[in-house]
Amino acid sequence: MRQALAAIVLVALTTPVFAQMTPAGLWRSFDEKTNEAKSEVRIADNGGVFFGRIEKVLRKNAEPNAKCGECKDELKDQPIVGLQIIKGAKKAEDKDVWEDGKILDPENGKFYTLRLTPIEGGKKLEVRGSIGPFGRTQTWQRVE
């Protein structure tokens, strides 16, 4: 009985660690220049394909009903809160990296090739957006 209980406790304690080595969850992004919190983005797994939406804008003096004026097509003038900025990322074979998706920068309305890499045991997420060899990487913090 004790061994079974110990096994259950061990599984319960280690399962959250494995569950966090994924981009799924709520993440806080930061301004690269000021290091101030910028937004919270919810990334969800839909059958192995990951998508992310802005849940909350955290910038000081941010317009609560701001729209994506720089976006194109169906995203033009859509509210920033609720805007899907991550689409189509899939786990790379044999690596804890999700790629082949796109990420939208609502500030300029452009999509970039996406790579998501959980780091520090899943507490942080490296988010890389690029066009060809050029790009930038942000580090987001897990909120939940």
Side-chain angles (χ1 to χ4, degrees):
M1 179 70 173
R2 283 187 180 162
Q3 288 176 331
L5 182 59
I8 291 170
V9 169
L10 182 61
V11 168
L13 291 175
T14 58
T15 299
V17 172
F18 293 119
Q20 289 195 2
M21 284 306 291
T22 169
L26 184 63
W27 298 93
R28 182 164 294 143
S29 70
F30 297 88
D31 185 282
E32 295 163 338
K33 294 176 187 148
T34 66
N35 205 32
E36 290 184 48
K38 194 159 91 170
S39 65
E40 288 184 354
V41 178
R42 168 93 46 202
I43 300 178
D45 178 354
N46 185 3
V49 181
F50 288 73
F51 298 88
R53 293 185 186 280
I54 296 175
E55 273 199 2
K56 189 187 292 185
V57 176
L58 302 172
R59 287 182 185 260
K60 293 178 189 171
N61 304 320
E63 172 62 42
N65 299 316
K67 303 207 184 300
C68 192
E70 298 298 320
C71 291
K72 315 233 179 329
D73 303 325
E74 72 276 356
L75 297 178
K76 178 83 171 148
D77 294 326
Q78 292 298 309
I80 296 292
V81 174
L83 189 66
Q84 182 175 309
I85 63 166
I86 292 174
K87 60 181 182 177
K90 297 177 197 120
K91 190 172 189 309
E93 195 170 321
D94 300 326
K95 295 190 283 186
D96 285 332
V97 174
W98 284 256
E99 50 195 11
D100 296 330
K102 297 286 183 189
I103 186 164
L104 170 70
D105 182 345
E107 292 179 11
N108 65 20
K110 294 181 182 176
F111 278 97
Y112 299 90
T113 301
L114 172 67
R115 185 176 70 229
L116 302 169
T117 308
I119 59 173
E120 295 183 22
K123 293 178 188 172
K124 294 185 178 181
L125 184 67
E126 285 185 344
V127 180
R128 178 149 181 89
S130 60
I131 295 178
F134 305 102
R136 68 180 197 229
T137 302
Q138 294 181 341
T139 302
W140 295 0
Q141 288 184 329
R142 185 180 290 279
V143 176
E144 61 179 50

